[in-house]
Amino acid sequence: MEVGLIILLFVSNALALDCLYNHRIKTTGALLILNLCLTVALAYQFKQMEKIVYILLGLIGVIVLFFGVRFYIKKKKEAPIIIEAADRIIEEKEEK
C-alpha cells in the first residue's frame, strides 16, 4: 500500500510539472491538490508502520554493536603485543 502511494505521489508530481511546463494551470492546481491528499494518506500509512521502524532501528543498533565489539577486540589484541614488548625490554635491562 505504501509503495503504491509513493508511486502515485511521484507520478502525480511528474504530471503536475508537465502541466505547469505546458501552461495548463487548472490541471496543475488539481494535481497539486491530489499531491496534498496523497501526502496525508502516506503519513497515516507510515504511522501504522512504527513497528517496522523500531525493527529497523534495532537492526541498525545490532550492526553498530557488532562493529563496535569487533573494533574493541581488534584494539584489545593489539594492546598486549605492545605491553609484552615493554615487559621484555624491562626484563632485559634488569638482567644486564
Side-chain angles (χ1 to χ4, degrees):
M1 181 71 176
E2 293 81 16
V3 175
L5 286 172
I6 291 172
I7 291 170
L8 283 174
L9 189 62
F10 176 76
V11 169
S12 180
N13 278 324
L15 288 174
L17 286 173
D18 182 56
C19 291
L20 184 65
Y21 181 75
N22 291 324
H23 303 290
R24 288 185 247 154
I25 295 181
K26 290 183 182 179
T27 309
T28 302
L31 287 170
L32 289 177
I33 291 171
L34 178 65
N35 284 339
L36 290 174
C37 294
L38 287 172
T39 303
V40 170
L42 192 63
Y44 281 116
Q45 287 296 321
F46 278 115
K47 185 176 181 184
Q48 295 174 357
M49 306 222 8
E50 288 179 7
K51 291 181 181 179
I52 292 175
V53 171
Y54 293 138
I55 291 171
L56 291 176
L57 288 175
L59 287 174
I60 291 171
V62 168
I63 291 169
V64 168
L65 185 65
F66 172 75
F67 283 112
V69 168
R70 190 171 163 192
F71 179 75
Y72 175 74
I73 291 173
K74 185 177 178 181
K75 286 290 185 181
K76 192 172 181 180
K77 283 183 180 178
E78 291 176 0
I81 295 171
I82 296 170
I83 293 171
E84 289 176 9
D87 289 341
R88 288 182 193 158
I89 294 172
I90 294 172
E91 288 176 5
E92 288 176 6
K93 286 183 180 179
E94 289 176 359
E95 290 176 3
K96 289 182 181 180

Coordinates of all heavy atoms in Angstrom, one line a residue:
M1 N 0.8 -1.2 0.0 CA 0.0 0.0 0.0 C 0.9 1.3 0.0 O 0.6 2.2 -0.7 CB -0.9 -0.1 1.2 CG -1.8 1.1 1.3 SD -3.1 1.0 0.1 CE -4.1 2.4 0.5
E2 N 1.9 1.2 0.9 CA 2.7 2.4 1.0 C 3.5 2.7 -0.3 O 3.7 3.8 -0.8 CB 3.7 2.3 2.1 CG 3.0 2.3 3.5 CD 2.5 0.9 3.9 OE1 2.8 -0.1 3.2 OE2 1.6 0.9 4.8
V3 N 4.0 1.6 -0.9 CA 4.7 1.7 -2.2 C 3.9 2.2 -3.3 O 4.3 3.1 -4.0 CB 5.3 0.3 -2.6 CG1 6.0 0.4 -3.9 CG2 6.3 -0.2 -1.5
G4 N 2.6 1.8 -3.3 CA 1.7 2.3 -4.3 C 1.4 3.8 -4.1 O 1.3 4.5 -5.1
L5 N 1.3 4.2 -2.8 CA 1.1 5.6 -2.6 C 2.3 6.5 -3.0 O 2.1 7.6 -3.5 CB 0.8 5.9 -1.1 CG -0.6 5.5 -0.6 CD1 -0.7 5.5 0.9 CD2 -1.7 6.3 -1.3
I6 N 3.5 5.9 -2.8 CA 4.7 6.7 -3.1 C 4.8 6.8 -4.7 O 5.1 7.8 -5.2 CB 5.9 6.0 -2.5 CG1 6.0 6.2 -1.0 CG2 7.2 6.5 -3.1 CD1 7.0 5.4 -0.3
I7 N 4.5 5.7 -5.3 CA 4.5 5.7 -6.8 C 3.4 6.7 -7.3 O 3.7 7.5 -8.2 CB 4.3 4.3 -7.4 CG1 5.5 3.4 -7.1 CG2 4.0 4.3 -8.9 CD1 5.3 2.0 -7.4
L8 N 2.2 6.7 -6.8 CA 1.2 7.6 -7.2 C 1.6 9.1 -6.9 O 1.4 10.0 -7.7 CB -0.1 7.3 -6.5 CG -0.9 6.2 -7.0 CD1 -2.1 5.9 -6.1 CD2 -1.4 6.4 -8.4
L9 N 2.3 9.3 -5.8 CA 2.7 10.6 -5.5 C 3.8 11.1 -6.5 O 3.8 12.2 -6.9 CB 3.3 10.7 -4.1 CG 3.7 12.0 -3.5 CD1 2.4 12.9 -3.3 CD2 4.3 11.8 -2.1
F10 N 4.7 10.2 -6.9 CA 5.7 10.5 -7.8 C 5.1 10.8 -9.2 O 5.5 11.8 -9.8 CB 6.7 9.4 -8.0 CG 7.8 9.6 -9.0 CD1 8.8 10.4 -8.8 CD2 7.7 8.9 -10.2 CE1 9.8 10.7 -9.7 CE2 8.7 9.2 -11.2 CZ 9.7 10.0 -11.0
V11 N 4.2 10.0 -9.6 CA 3.5 10.2 -10.9 C 2.7 11.5 -10.9 O 2.8 12.3 -11.9 CB 2.6 9.0 -11.3 CG1 1.7 9.3 -12.5 CG2 3.5 7.8 -11.5
S12 N 2.0 11.8 -9.8 CA 1.2 13.0 -9.8 C 2.2 14.2 -9.8 O 1.8 15.2 -10.4 CB 0.4 13.0 -8.5 OG -0.3 14.1 -8.3
N13 N 3.3 14.2 -9.1 CA 4.2 15.3 -9.2 C 4.8 15.5 -10.6 O 4.9 16.6 -11.0 CB 5.4 15.1 -8.2 CG 5.0 15.4 -6.8 OD1 4.3 16.4 -6.6 ND2 5.5 14.7 -5.8
A14 N 5.1 14.4 -11.2 CA 5.6 14.5 -12.6 C 4.6 15.1 -13.5 O 4.9 15.9 -14.4 CB 6.1 13.1 -13.1
L15 N 3.3 14.6 -13.4 CA 2.3 15.2 -14.3 C 2.0 16.7 -14.0 O 1.8 17.5 -14.9 CB 1.0 14.4 -14.1 CG 1.0 13.0 -14.7 CD1 -0.3 12.3 -14.3 CD2 1.1 13.1 -16.2
A16 N 2.1 17.0 -12.7 CA 1.9 18.4 -12.3 C 3.0 19.3 -12.9 O 2.7 20.4 -13.4 CB 1.9 18.6 -10.8
L17 N 4.2 18.8 -12.9 CA 5.3 19.6 -13.5 C 5.2 19.7 -15.0 O 5.4 20.7 -15.6 CB 6.7 18.9 -13.2 CG 7.2 19.1 -11.7 CD1 8.4 18.3 -11.5 CD2 7.4 20.6 -11.5
D18 N 4.7 18.6 -15.6 CA 4.5 18.6 -17.1 C 3.4 19.6 -17.4 O 3.5 20.4 -18.4 CB 4.1 17.2 -17.6 CG 3.9 17.2 -19.1 OD1 4.8 17.6 -19.8 OD2 2.8 16.8 -19.5
C19 N 2.3 19.6 -16.7 CA 1.2 20.5 -16.9 C 1.6 22.0 -16.7 O 1.2 22.9 -17.4 CB 0.0 20.2 -16.1 SG -0.8 18.6 -16.6
L20 N 2.5 22.2 -15.7 CA 3.0 23.5 -15.4 C 3.8 24.0 -16.6 O 3.7 25.2 -17.0 CB 3.8 23.5 -14.1 CG 4.3 24.9 -13.6 CD1 3.1 25.8 -13.3 CD2 5.2 24.7 -12.4
Y21 N 4.7 23.1 -17.1 CA 5.5 23.5 -18.2 C 4.7 23.8 -19.5 O 5.0 24.7 -20.3 CB 6.5 22.3 -18.5 CG 7.4 22.6 -19.6 CD1 8.5 23.4 -19.5 CD2 7.2 21.9 -20.9 CE1 9.4 23.7 -20.5 CE2 8.1 22.2 -21.9 CZ 9.2 23.1 -21.8 OH 10.0 23.3 -22.8
N22 N 3.6 23.1 -19.7 CA 2.7 23.3 -20.8 C 1.6 24.3 -20.6 O 0.7 24.4 -21.4 CB 2.1 21.9 -21.3 CG 3.1 21.0 -21.8 OD1 4.1 21.4 -22.5 ND2 3.0 19.7 -21.5
H23 N 1.7 25.1 -19.5 CA 0.8 26.2 -19.2 C -0.6 25.7 -19.0 O -1.6 26.4 -19.4 CB 0.9 27.3 -20.3 CG 2.3 27.8 -20.5 ND1 2.9 28.6 -19.5 CD2 3.2 27.7 -21.5 CE1 4.1 28.9 -19.9 NE2 4.3 28.3 -21.1
R24 N -0.9 24.6 -18.4 CA -2.2 24.1 -18.1 C -2.4 24.3 -16.6 O -2.1 23.4 -15.8 CB -2.4 22.7 -18.4 CG -2.5 22.5 -19.9 CD -2.9 21.0 -20.3 NE -1.7 20.5 -20.9 CZ -1.3 19.3 -21.0 NH1 -2.0 18.4 -20.3 NH2 -0.3 18.9 -21.6
I25 N -2.7 25.5 -16.2 CA -2.7 25.9 -14.8 C -3.8 25.2 -13.9 O -3.5 24.8 -12.8 CB -2.7 27.5 -14.6 CG1 -1.5 28.0 -15.3 CG2 -2.9 27.9 -13.2 CD1 -1.4 29.5 -15.2
K26 N -5.0 25.1 -14.5 CA -6.0 24.4 -13.8 C -5.7 23.0 -13.5 O -5.9 22.4 -12.4 CB -7.4 24.5 -14.5 CG -7.9 25.9 -14.5 CD -9.3 26.0 -15.2 CE -9.8 27.4 -15.3 NZ -11.1 27.5 -16.0
T27 N -5.2 22.3 -14.5 CA -4.8 20.9 -14.3 C -3.6 20.8 -13.3 O -3.6 19.9 -12.4 CB -4.3 20.3 -15.6 OG1 -5.3 20.5 -16.6 CG2 -4.1 18.8 -15.5
T28 N -2.7 21.7 -13.3 CA -1.6 21.7 -12.3 C -2.1 21.9 -10.9 O -1.7 21.2 -10.0 CB -0.6 22.9 -12.7 OG1 -0.1 22.7 -14.0 CG2 0.5 22.9 -11.7
G29 N -3.1 22.8 -10.8 CA -3.7 23.0 -9.4 C -4.4 21.8 -8.9 O -4.3 21.4 -7.7
A30 N -5.1 21.1 -9.8 CA -5.8 19.9 -9.4 C -4.8 18.8 -9.0 O -5.0 18.1 -8.0 CB -6.7 19.4 -10.5
L31 N -3.7 18.7 -9.7 CA -2.7 17.7 -9.4 C -2.0 18.0 -8.1 O -1.6 17.1 -7.3 CB -1.7 17.5 -10.6 CG -2.3 16.8 -11.8 CD1 -1.3 16.9 -13.0 CD2 -2.6 15.3 -11.5
L32 N -1.8 19.3 -7.8 CA -1.2 19.7 -6.6 C -2.1 19.4 -5.4 O -1.6 18.9 -4.3 CB -0.8 21.2 -6.6 CG 0.3 21.5 -7.5 CD1 0.6 23.0 -7.5 CD2 1.6 20.8 -7.1
I33 N -3.4 19.5 -5.6 CA -4.3 19.1 -4.5 C -4.3 17.6 -4.3 O -4.3 17.1 -3.2 CB -5.7 19.6 -4.8 CG1 -5.8 21.2 -4.8 CG2 -6.8 19.0 -3.9 CD1 -7.0 21.8 -5.3
L34 N -4.2 16.9 -5.4 CA -4.1 15.4 -5.3 C -2.8 15.1 -4.6 O -2.8 14.1 -3.8 CB -4.1 14.8 -6.7 CG -3.9 13.3 -6.8 CD1 -5.1 12.6 -6.1 CD2 -3.8 12.8 -8.2
N35 N -1.7 15.8 -4.8 CA -0.5 15.5 -4.1 C -0.6 15.7 -2.6 O -0.1 15.0 -1.8 CB 0.6 16.5 -4.7 CG 1.2 16.0 -6.0 OD1 1.0 14.9 -6.4 ND2 1.8 17.0 -6.7
L36 N -1.3 16.8 -2.2 CA -1.5 17.0 -0.8 C -2.3 15.9 -0.2 O -2.0 15.4 0.9 CB -2.2 18.3 -0.6 CG -1.4 19.6 -0.9 CD1 -2.3 20.8 -0.8 CD2 -0.2 19.7 0.1
C37 N -3.4 15.4 -0.9 CA -4.2 14.3 -0.4 C -3.3 13.0 -0.3 O -3.4 12.3 0.7 CB -5.4 14.0 -1.3 SG -6.6 15.4 -1.2
L38 N -2.5 12.8 -1.3 CA -1.6 11.6 -1.2 C -0.6 11.7 -0.1 O -0.3 10.7 0.5 CB -0.9 11.4 -2.6 CG -1.8 10.9 -3.7 CD1 -1.1 10.9 -5.0 CD2 -2.3 9.5 -3.4
T39 N -0.1 12.9 0.2 CA 0.9 13.1 1.2 C 0.2 12.8 2.6 O 0.9 12.1 3.4 CB 1.4 14.5 1.2 OG1 2.0 14.7 -0.1 CG2 2.4 14.7 2.3
V40 N -1.0 13.2 2.8 CA -1.7 12.9 4.0 C -2.0 11.4 4.2 O -1.8 10.9 5.3 CB -3.0 13.8 4.1 CG1 -3.9 13.3 5.3 CG2 -2.7 15.2 4.2
A41 N -2.4 10.8 3.1 CA -2.6 9.3 3.1 C -1.4 8.6 3.4 O -1.4 7.6 4.2 CB -3.2 8.9 1.8
L42 N -0.3 9.0 2.9 CA 1.0 8.4 3.1 C 1.5 8.6 4.6 O 2.0 7.6 5.2 CB 2.1 9.0 2.2 CG 3.4 8.3 2.0 CD1 3.2 6.9 1.5 CD2 4.3 9.0 1.1
A43 N 1.2 9.7 5.1 CA 1.6 10.0 6.5 C 0.8 9.0 7.4 O 1.3 8.5 8.4 CB 1.3 11.4 6.9
Y44 N -0.5 8.8 7.2 CA -1.3 7.9 8.0 C -0.8 6.5 7.8 O -0.8 5.7 8.8 CB -2.8 8.0 7.7 CG -3.4 9.2 8.3 CD1 -4.0 10.2 7.5 CD2 -3.5 9.3 9.7 CE1 -4.6 11.3 8.1 CE2 -4.1 10.4 10.3 CZ -4.7 11.4 9.5 OH -5.3 12.4 10.0
Q45 N -0.4 6.1 6.7 CA 0.1 4.7 6.4 C 1.4 4.5 7.2 O 1.6 3.4 7.8 CB 0.3 4.5 5.0 CG -0.9 4.3 4.2 CD -1.7 3.1 4.6 OE1 -1.1 2.0 4.9 NE2 -3.0 3.2 4.7
F46 N 2.3 5.5 7.2 CA 3.6 5.3 7.9 C 3.4 5.4 9.4 O 4.2 4.9 10.1 CB 4.6 6.3 7.4 CG 5.2 5.9 6.1 CD1 5.1 6.7 5.0 CD2 6.0 4.8 6.1 CE1 5.7 6.3 3.8 CE2 6.6 4.4 4.9 CZ 6.5 5.1 3.8
K47 N 2.3 6.0 9.9 CA 2.1 6.0 11.3 C 1.8 4.5 11.8 O 2.2 4.1 12.9 CB 0.9 6.9 11.7 CG 0.7 7.0 13.2 CD -0.4 8.0 13.5 CE -0.5 8.0 15.0 NZ -1.6 8.9 15.4
Q48 N 1.1 3.8 10.9 CA 0.9 2.4 11.2 C 2.1 1.5 11.1 O 2.1 0.4 11.6 CB -0.2 1.8 10.3 CG -1.6 2.5 10.5 CD -2.6 2.0 9.4 OE1 -2.2 1.3 8.5 NE2 -3.8 2.5 9.5
M49 N 3.1 2.0 10.6 CA 4.4 1.2 10.3 C 5.4 1.5 11.4 O 6.6 1.3 11.2 CB 4.9 1.5 8.9 CG 3.9 1.3 7.9 SD 4.3 0.5 6.4 CE 5.8 -0.2 6.5
E50 N 5.0 2.0 12.6 CA 6.0 2.3 13.6 C 6.8 1.1 14.0 O 8.0 1.2 14.3 CB 5.3 3.0 14.8 CG 4.9 4.4 14.6 CD 4.2 5.0 15.8 OE1 4.2 4.3 16.8 OE2 3.6 6.1 15.6
K51 N 6.1 -0.1 14.1 CA 6.8 -1.3 14.5 C 7.9 -1.6 13.5 O 9.0 -2.1 14.0 CB 5.8 -2.5 14.6 CG 4.8 -2.3 15.7 CD 3.9 -3.5 15.8 CE 2.9 -3.3 16.9 NZ 2.0 -4.4 17.0
I52 N 7.7 -1.4 12.3 CA 8.8 -1.7 11.3 C 10.0 -0.8 11.5 O 11.1 -1.1 11.4 CB 8.2 -1.6 9.9 CG1 7.3 -2.8 9.6 CG2 9.4 -1.6 8.8 CD1 6.6 -2.7 8.3
V53 N 9.7 0.5 11.8 CA 10.7 1.5 12.1 C 11.5 1.0 13.3 O 12.8 1.1 13.4 CB 10.2 2.9 12.3 CG1 11.2 3.8 12.8 CG2 9.6 3.4 11.0
Y54 N 10.8 0.5 14.4 CA 11.5 0.0 15.6 C 12.4 -1.2 15.2 O 13.5 -1.3 15.7 CB 10.5 -0.4 16.7 CG 9.8 0.8 17.2 CD1 8.5 0.8 17.5 CD2 10.5 2.0 17.5 CE1 7.8 1.9 18.1 CE2 9.8 3.1 18.0 CZ 8.5 3.0 18.3 OH 7.8 4.1 18.8
I55 N 11.9 -2.1 14.4 CA 12.7 -3.2 13.9 C 14.0 -2.7 13.2 O 15.1 -3.2 13.4 CB 11.9 -4.2 13.1 CG1 10.8 -4.8 13.9 CG2 12.7 -5.2 12.4 CD1 9.8 -5.6 13.2
L56 N 13.8 -1.8 12.3 CA 14.9 -1.2 11.5 C 15.9 -0.6 12.5 O 17.1 -0.7 12.3 CB 14.5 -0.3 10.4 CG 13.7 -0.9 9.3 CD1 13.2 0.2 8.3 CD2 14.6 -1.9 8.5
L57 N 15.4 0.2 13.4 CA 16.4 0.8 14.4 C 17.1 -0.3 15.2 O 18.3 -0.1 15.5 CB 15.6 1.8 15.3 CG 15.1 3.1 14.7 CD1 14.3 3.9 15.6 CD2 16.3 3.9 14.2
G58 N 16.4 -1.3 15.6 CA 17.0 -2.4 16.3 C 18.1 -3.1 15.5 O 19.2 -3.4 16.0
L59 N 17.8 -3.3 14.2 CA 18.9 -3.9 13.3 C 20.1 -2.9 13.2 O 21.2 -3.4 13.2 CB 18.3 -4.1 11.9 CG 17.3 -5.3 11.8 CD1 16.7 -5.4 10.4 CD2 18.0 -6.6 12.2
I60 N 19.8 -1.6 13.1 CA 20.9 -0.7 13.0 C 21.7 -0.7 14.3 O 23.0 -0.7 14.3 CB 20.4 0.7 12.7 CG1 19.9 0.8 11.3 CG2 21.5 1.8 12.9 CD1 19.1 2.1 10.9
G61 N 21.0 -0.8 15.4 CA 21.7 -1.0 16.7 C 22.6 -2.2 16.8 O 23.7 -2.2 17.3
V62 N 22.1 -3.3 16.3 CA 22.8 -4.6 16.3 C 24.1 -4.4 15.4 O 25.2 -4.9 15.8 CB 21.9 -5.8 15.9 CG1 22.8 -7.0 15.6 CG2 20.9 -6.0 16.9
I63 N 23.9 -3.8 14.3 CA 25.0 -3.7 13.3 C 26.1 -2.8 14.0 O 27.3 -3.1 13.9 CB 24.6 -3.1 12.0 CG1 23.8 -4.2 11.2 CG2 25.7 -2.6 11.1 CD1 23.0 -3.6 10.0
V64 N 25.7 -1.7 14.6 CA 26.6 -0.8 15.3 C 27.3 -1.5 16.4 O 28.5 -1.4 16.6 CB 25.9 0.5 15.7 CG1 26.8 1.3 16.7 CG2 25.5 1.4 14.5
L65 N 26.6 -2.3 17.2 CA 27.1 -3.0 18.3 C 28.2 -4.0 17.8 O 29.2 -4.2 18.3 CB 26.0 -3.7 19.1 CG 26.5 -4.5 20.3 CD1 27.0 -3.5 21.3 CD2 25.3 -5.2 20.9
F66 N 27.8 -4.7 16.7 CA 28.7 -5.7 16.1 C 30.1 -5.1 15.7 O 31.1 -5.6 16.0 CB 28.1 -6.3 14.9 CG 29.0 -7.2 14.1 CD1 29.4 -8.5 14.5 CD2 29.5 -6.8 12.9 CE1 30.2 -9.3 13.8 CE2 30.4 -7.6 12.1 CZ 30.7 -8.8 12.6
F67 N 30.0 -3.9 15.0 CA 31.2 -3.3 14.6 C 32.0 -2.7 15.8 O 33.2 -2.6 15.8 CB 31.0 -2.2 13.5 CG 30.7 -2.8 12.1 CD1 29.5 -2.7 11.5 CD2 31.7 -3.5 11.5 CE1 29.2 -3.3 10.3 CE2 31.5 -4.0 10.2 CZ 30.2 -3.9 9.6
G68 N 31.2 -2.2 16.8 CA 31.9 -1.7 18.0 C 32.7 -2.8 18.7 O 33.8 -2.6 19.1
V69 N 32.0 -4.0 18.9 CA 32.7 -5.1 19.5 C 33.9 -5.6 18.7 O 35.0 -5.9 19.2 CB 31.7 -6.2 19.8 CG1 32.4 -7.5 20.2 CG2 30.7 -5.8 20.8
R70 N 33.7 -5.6 17.4 CA 34.8 -6.0 16.5 C 36.0 -5.1 16.6 O 37.1 -5.5 16.7 CB 34.3 -6.1 15.1 CG 35.2 -6.7 14.1 CD 34.5 -6.8 12.8 NE 35.4 -7.1 11.7 CZ 35.2 -7.0 10.5 NH1 33.9 -6.8 10.1 NH2 36.1 -7.2 9.6
F71 N 35.7 -3.8 16.7 CA 36.8 -2.8 16.8 C 37.4 -2.9 18.2 O 38.7 -2.8 18.3 CB 36.2 -1.3 16.6 CG 37.1 -0.2 16.8 CD1 38.1 0.0 15.8 CD2 37.1 0.5 17.9 CE1 39.0 1.1 15.9 CE2 38.0 1.6 18.1 CZ 39.0 1.8 17.1
Y72 N 36.6 -3.1 19.2 CA 37.2 -3.3 20.6 C 38.1 -4.5 20.7 O 39.2 -4.4 21.2 CB 36.1 -3.4 21.6 CG 36.5 -3.6 23.0 CD1 37.1 -2.6 23.7 CD2 36.4 -4.9 23.6 CE1 37.5 -2.9 25.0 CE2 36.8 -5.1 24.8 CZ 37.4 -4.1 25.6 OH 37.8 -4.4 26.8
I73 N 37.7 -5.6 20.1 CA 38.5 -6.8 20.1 C 39.8 -6.6 19.3 O 40.9 -7.0 19.7 CB 37.7 -8.0 19.5 CG1 36.6 -8.4 20.5 CG2 38.6 -9.2 19.3 CD1 35.6 -9.4 20.0
K74 N 39.7 -5.9 18.2 CA 40.9 -5.6 17.4 C 41.9 -4.8 18.2 O 43.1 -5.1 18.2 CB 40.5 -4.9 16.1 CG 41.7 -4.7 15.2 CD 41.2 -4.1 13.9 CE 42.3 -3.8 12.9 NZ 41.9 -3.2 11.7
K75 N 41.4 -3.7 18.9 CA 42.3 -2.9 19.7 C 42.8 -3.7 20.9 O 44.0 -3.5 21.2 CB 41.5 -1.7 20.2 CG 41.2 -0.6 19.2 CD 42.5 0.0 18.8 CE 42.3 1.2 17.8 NZ 43.5 1.8 17.4
K76 N 42.0 -4.6 21.4 CA 42.5 -5.3 22.6 C 43.6 -6.3 22.2 O 44.5 -6.5 23.0 CB 41.3 -6.1 23.2 CG 41.6 -6.7 24.6 CD 40.3 -7.2 25.2 CE 40.7 -7.8 26.6 NZ 39.5 -8.3 27.2
K77 N 43.5 -6.9 21.0 CA 44.5 -7.8 20.5 C 45.8 -7.1 20.3 O 46.9 -7.6 20.5 CB 44.1 -8.5 19.3 CG 43.1 -9.6 19.5 CD 42.7 -10.3 18.2 CE 41.7 -11.4 18.5 NZ 41.3 -12.1 17.2
E78 N 45.8 -5.8 19.8 CA 47.0 -5.1 19.5 C 47.7 -4.6 20.8 O 48.9 -4.5 20.9 CB 46.7 -3.9 18.7 CG 46.2 -4.2 17.3 CD 45.8 -3.0 16.4 OE1 45.8 -1.9 17.0 OE2 45.4 -3.2 15.3
A79 N 46.9 -4.3 21.8 CA 47.5 -3.7 23.1 C 48.4 -4.7 23.8 O 49.5 -4.3 24.2 CB 46.3 -3.3 24.0
P80 N 48.1 -6.0 24.0 CA 49.1 -6.9 24.7 C 50.4 -7.0 24.0 O 51.4 -7.2 24.7 CB 48.3 -8.2 24.7 CG 46.9 -7.9 24.6 CD 46.9 -6.7 23.7
I81 N 50.5 -6.9 22.7 CA 51.8 -7.0 22.0 C 52.7 -5.9 22.4 O 53.9 -6.1 22.7 CB 51.5 -7.0 20.5 CG1 50.7 -8.2 20.0 CG2 52.8 -6.9 19.7 CD1 50.2 -8.2 18.6
I82 N 52.1 -4.7 22.5 CA 53.0 -3.5 22.9 C 53.4 -3.7 24.4 O 54.5 -3.5 24.8 CB 52.2 -2.2 22.8 CG1 51.9 -2.0 21.3 CG2 52.9 -1.1 23.3 CD1 50.9 -0.9 21.0
I83 N 52.5 -4.2 25.3 CA 52.8 -4.3 26.7 C 53.8 -5.5 26.8 O 54.8 -5.3 27.6 CB 51.5 -4.7 27.5 CG1 50.6 -3.4 27.5 CG2 51.9 -5.1 28.9 CD1 49.2 -3.7 28.1
E84 N 53.7 -6.5 26.1 CA 54.7 -7.6 26.2 C 56.0 -7.2 25.8 O 57.1 -7.5 26.4 CB 54.2 -8.8 25.4 CG 53.0 -9.6 26.0 CD 52.5 -10.7 25.0 OE1 53.2 -11.0 24.0 OE2 51.5 -11.2 25.3
A85 N 56.1 -6.4 24.7 CA 57.4 -5.9 24.3 C 58.0 -5.0 25.3 O 59.2 -5.0 25.6 CB 57.2 -5.1 22.9
A86 N 57.2 -4.2 26.0 CA 57.8 -3.3 27.0 C 58.3 -4.1 28.2 O 59.3 -3.8 28.8 CB 56.7 -2.3 27.5
D87 N 57.5 -5.2 28.6 CA 58.0 -6.1 29.7 C 59.3 -6.7 29.3 O 60.2 -6.9 30.2 CB 56.9 -7.1 30.0 CG 55.7 -6.5 30.6 OD1 55.8 -5.4 31.2 OD2 54.6 -7.2 30.6
R88 N 59.5 -7.1 28.1 CA 60.7 -7.8 27.7 C 61.9 -6.8 27.8 O 63.0 -7.2 28.2 CB 60.6 -8.3 26.2 CG 59.7 -9.5 26.1 CD 59.6 -10.0 24.7 NE 58.6 -11.0 24.5 CZ 58.0 -11.3 23.4 NH1 58.4 -10.7 22.3 NH2 57.0 -12.1 23.3
I89 N 61.6 -5.6 27.4 CA 62.7 -4.6 27.4 C 63.1 -4.4 28.9 O 64.3 -4.3 29.2 CB 62.3 -3.3 26.8 CG1 62.1 -3.5 25.3 CG2 63.2 -2.2 27.1 CD1 61.5 -2.3 24.5
I90 N 62.1 -4.3 29.8 CA 62.4 -4.1 31.2 C 63.1 -5.3 31.8 O 64.1 -5.2 32.5 CB 61.1 -3.8 32.0 CG1 60.5 -2.5 31.6 CG2 61.3 -3.9 33.5 CD1 59.1 -2.2 32.1
E91 N 62.7 -6.5 31.4 CA 63.4 -7.7 31.9 C 64.8 -7.8 31.3 O 65.7 -8.2 32.1 CB 62.6 -9.0 31.4 CG 61.3 -9.2 32.1 CD 60.5 -10.4 31.6 OE1 61.0 -11.1 30.7 OE2 59.4 -10.5 32.0
E92 N 65.0 -7.4 30.1 CA 66.4 -7.4 29.6 C 67.3 -6.4 30.3 O 68.5 -6.7 30.5 CB 66.3 -7.1 28.1 CG 65.8 -8.2 27.2 CD 65.7 -7.9 25.8 OE1 66.1 -6.8 25.4 OE2 65.1 -8.7 25.0
K93 N 66.8 -5.3 30.7 CA 67.6 -4.3 31.4 C 67.9 -4.8 32.8 O 69.0 -4.5 33.3 CB 66.8 -3.0 31.5 CG 66.8 -2.2 30.1 CD 66.1 -0.9 30.3 CE 66.1 -0.1 29.0 NZ 65.4 1.1 29.1
E94 N 67.0 -5.5 33.4 CA 67.2 -6.0 34.8 C 68.3 -7.1 34.7 O 69.1 -7.2 35.7 CB 65.9 -6.5 35.4 CG 65.0 -5.4 35.7 CD 63.6 -6.0 36.3 OE1 63.5 -7.2 36.3 OE2 62.8 -5.1 36.6
E95 N 68.3 -7.9 33.7 CA 69.3 -9.0 33.6 C 70.7 -8.5 33.4 O 71.6 -9.1 33.8 CB 68.9 -9.9 32.4 CG 67.6 -10.7 32.7 CD 67.2 -11.6 31.5 OE1 67.9 -11.6 30.5 OE2 66.2 -12.2 31.6
K96 N 70.8 -7.3 32.7 CA 72.2 -6.8 32.4 C 72.7 -6.1 33.6 O 73.3 -6.2 34.5 CB 72.1 -5.8 31.3 CG 71.8 -6.4 30.0 CD 71.8 -5.4 28.9 CE 71.5 -6.0 27.6 NZ 71.4 -5.1 26.5

